[in-house]
């Protein structure tokens, strides 16, 4: 098993980093430049698509919450209408039978037992 010469690895890493920062790597890899540009374009496209997907999911979740709130509101209104319809039917029946009873003006009170 060979020993790793860390001095050479460090020197190669430093040289590679310097050449990347100066732009020399692009000049050395001019025949691969179209491939590098293509891969960079694909990475940017992938990031853009992921951002748009996240944005769509956020909008979908907001719409789902709004729909839930609207369903609750609609259910409450349906119950109110059904209750009013039932009260009106009872009042009509009482009037037809000649009974003089109407809705109370004040709500009922709780009677406490001792």
């Amino acid at each position: 098993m060979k020993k790793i010469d860390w001095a050479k690895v460090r020197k190669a890493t430093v040289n590679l980093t310097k050449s990347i920062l100066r732009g020399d790597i692009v000049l050395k890899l001019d025949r691969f430049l179209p491939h590098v540009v293509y891969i960079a374009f694909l990475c940017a496209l992938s990031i853009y698509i992921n951002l748009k997907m996240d944005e769509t999911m956020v909008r979908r979740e907001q719409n789902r919450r709004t729909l839930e709130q609207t369903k609750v509101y609609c259910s409450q209104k349906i119950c109110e209408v059904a209750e009013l319809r039932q009260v009106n039917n009872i009042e009509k029946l009482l009037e037809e039978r000649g009974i003089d009873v109407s809705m109370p003006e004040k709500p009922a009170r709780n009677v406490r037992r001792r």
Side-chain angles (χ1 to χ4, degrees):
M1 184 177 230
K2 291 184 180 181
K3 283 191 165 185
I4 297 175
D5 188 10
W6 290 106
K8 288 183 180 180
V9 171
R10 184 176 179 274
K11 186 176 179 181
T13 306
V14 169
N15 287 339
L16 180 65
T17 306
K18 284 181 181 177
S19 83
I20 288 173
L21 293 176
R22 285 189 307 232
D24 294 342
I25 193 82
V26 176
L27 296 174
K28 290 179 183 177
L29 301 176
D30 62 345
R31 62 182 174 185
F32 298 115
L33 186 62
H35 301 298
V36 171
V37 170
Y38 179 68
I39 289 173
F41 173 74
L42 288 179
C43 289
L45 184 65
S46 174
I47 291 170
Y48 176 76
I49 288 173
N50 283 333
L51 287 175
K52 285 299 178 179
M53 284 173 46
D54 287 343
E55 183 180 309
T56 303
M57 293 304 288
V58 166
R59 250 186 318 185
R60 183 178 179 268
E61 187 64 25
Q62 289 173 346
N63 288 340
R64 187 190 61 77
R65 283 193 214 120
T66 304
L67 184 61
E68 287 293 323
Q69 291 172 354
T70 306
K71 283 181 181 179
V72 169
Y73 180 75
C74 184
S75 296
Q76 289 173 348
K77 290 299 176 184
I78 288 173
C79 288
E80 288 176 12
V81 169
E83 184 179 302
L84 288 175
R85 188 178 303 148
Q86 187 176 10
V87 169
N88 287 339
N89 288 341
I90 292 172
E91 286 179 352
K92 285 179 186 177
L93 287 172
L94 291 174
E95 285 177 9
E96 287 175 2
R97 294 186 182 180
I99 301 172
D100 188 25
V101 177
S102 63
M103 291 290 294
E105 294 177 9
K106 294 181 182 179
R109 293 188 304 177
N110 290 335
V111 178
R112 293 184 185 173
R113 289 187 174 180
R114 292 184 184 199

